[in-house]
Amino acid sequence: MQYYISAFQNYVNFQGRARRKEYWMFVLFNVIVSFVVAIIANLIHVPALSSLYSLVVLCPSLALAVRRLHDIGKKWTWILIGLIPLIGTVWLLVLLCMDSQLGDNEFGPNPKGM
């Protein structure tokens, strides 16, 4: 849960690096919260609630994905590869699953070493 909260605390931080664990724990909790919000939205008959949650979580998830790409030594523009249907999405998923680049890189020190 600390990774989920941390992403919201750094919601405009597109600098630095994010570990694989930090990214995927955020994704896990985001999926869980999304399901809970969807269930609540259906129970109270407010379908816009799910859309509102998605809008709120958009900036923190983009910032975390960019920091994750920085961790493997890629620039933020690599996130745009996800716009290519199917192949781009799969390739972005592979990039997000890769292990951290060893040592320091142009985006900062290795977060595993901290």
Side-chain angles (χ1 to χ4, degrees):
M1 188 71 177
Q2 70 184 13
Y3 297 112
Y4 185 75
I5 294 168
S6 173
F8 281 97
Q9 290 171 342
N10 295 319
Y11 74 100
V12 291
N13 182 12
F14 288 84
Q15 305 296 320
R17 297 168 66 170
R19 291 179 61 187
R20 189 171 36 181
K21 182 178 180 180
E22 179 181 354
Y23 179 78
W24 289 109
M25 291 304 284
F26 171 79
V27 170
L28 173 66
F29 280 100
N30 188 33
V31 168
I32 292 169
V33 171
S34 293
F35 278 124
V36 170
V37 168
I39 290 169
I40 292 171
N42 285 333
L43 288 176
I44 63 174
H45 304 292
V46 182
L49 191 61
S50 294
S51 299
L52 181 62
Y53 174 74
S54 297
L55 191 60
V56 167
V57 81
L58 178 66
C59 191
S61 52
L62 281 176
L64 190 58
V66 167
R67 290 196 314 269
R68 178 72 200 118
L69 288 171
H70 286 175
D71 192 43
I72 61 170
K74 304 288 185 195
K75 295 191 182 299
W76 72 269
T77 52
W78 278 89
I79 203 163
L80 299 175
I81 199 168
L83 297 175
I84 300 170
L86 191 61
I87 295 169
T89 306
V90 170
W91 185 249
L92 184 60
L93 181 64
V94 167
L95 289 175
L96 294 172
C97 289
M98 290 177 65
D99 197 12
S100 300
Q101 189 178 35
L102 295 177
D104 297 350
N105 67 15
E106 64 181 296
F107 304 107
N110 188 345
K112 284 186 177 181
M114 293 181 164

